[in-house]
Amino acid sequence: MIRVTGLEKSFVYKKKELGLKGSIRNFFGGTTETKTAVNRISFEIGTGEIVGFLGPNGAGKTTTLKMLSGIMYPSAGSADILGYTPWDGKNEFKRQISIVLGQKNQLWWDLPANESLFLNKCIYNIDDAQYTKTLDELTELLDIKQLLEVQVRNLSLGERMKMELAAALLHKPKVLFLDEPTIGLDIFAQKNIREFLKYYNQQEKITMMLTSHYLEDIEALCRRTIVINHGSIVYDGAIDAVNSRLANKKIIKIQTLDAVSPSEQWKIRSSENGTTVLEADKGQTNAVVSSLLNTYDIKDFSVEDVPLEESLGMLYTTGKGTDGSI
């Protein structure tokens, strides 16, 4: 469905010194520099996949989505989506993809939502019967039917995002790009958006590429994740494999009556109100648990993987491979 090969995007800009002298120097020449936002990335995404596209701020995620949706031209490389090159701007391509930018609105701020939705119907030349059927389905699934006649500026952030999704899916696209769709939403609104996207993907087999800083979004929706940092892909593989590849540690939480002492077998992360959090090598977990049980009066204990956000943080700083190798 999506094939990207050696995609690159660089921006040329001028550095300017402070003050009038700096402005004059900049006007007559100045120092020109080039920033590579996306550095020759390659990947493929199959039909019906939901792929998480992760990375820190400034990693190149939004730039990549803009190129793949045809909003921005690349500096080098190629992309094939549904058999089209995105930046060729062909209407046949635009009718089969959609993009939702969490920090930008496509709905008219001062008009009721149904006016913007009807405008999309006209833009995509959607048949009247199909428009009514699809709109009814989407507004019922998103629970926003009663809000269609409300001015967009008067909708809550969560309600606006639901309307944005309805507008993006009105023409039944085969590929959906989502850039921070739950940004700023409360936990209940985030959950509702996630449940809708998961259900819609199962029903329509739509291919989705999702960026988010909320790991709950990625864990709930994606089996595969692509991690990008400084414009380059540092990991492409199963989300469940991130910890196993990177974090060669286990987290052991124990509740004891006595204070736990430091040991060469474990590292104490925290200790508060009788609960101690330890870190131990994954291969030594059984030996560590056995030692703890023999040494302390333990009321309860649990063994967990290192939190996903910690493993991703390691990827951002130490990842080197693009095939799942680190």
Side-chain angles (χ1 to χ4, degrees), residues 67-71 79-81 84-90 93-94:
M67 288 190 286
L68 296 184
S69 58
I71 297 174
D80 183 297
I81 301 178
Y84 298 94
T85 299
W87 43 89
D88 283 350
K90 293 184 178 179
F93 169 74
K94 296 176 184 177

Side-chain angles (χ1 to χ4, degrees), residues 219-260:
E219 291 179 305
L221 294 170
C222 309
R223 293 184 178 179
R224 174 188 169 198
T225 182
I226 298 173
V227 180
I228 186 173
N229 195 19
H230 299 299
S232 299
I233 292 177
V234 297
Y235 178 80
D236 183 353
I239 186 72
D240 295 337
V242 173
N243 275 338
S244 62
R245 288 183 178 276
L246 282 171
N248 192 31
K249 304 288 183 181
K250 283 285 187 179
I251 303 300
I252 303 171
K253 296 180 181 179
I254 59 174
Q255 292 183 8
T256 61
L257 296 175
D258 303 321
V260 178

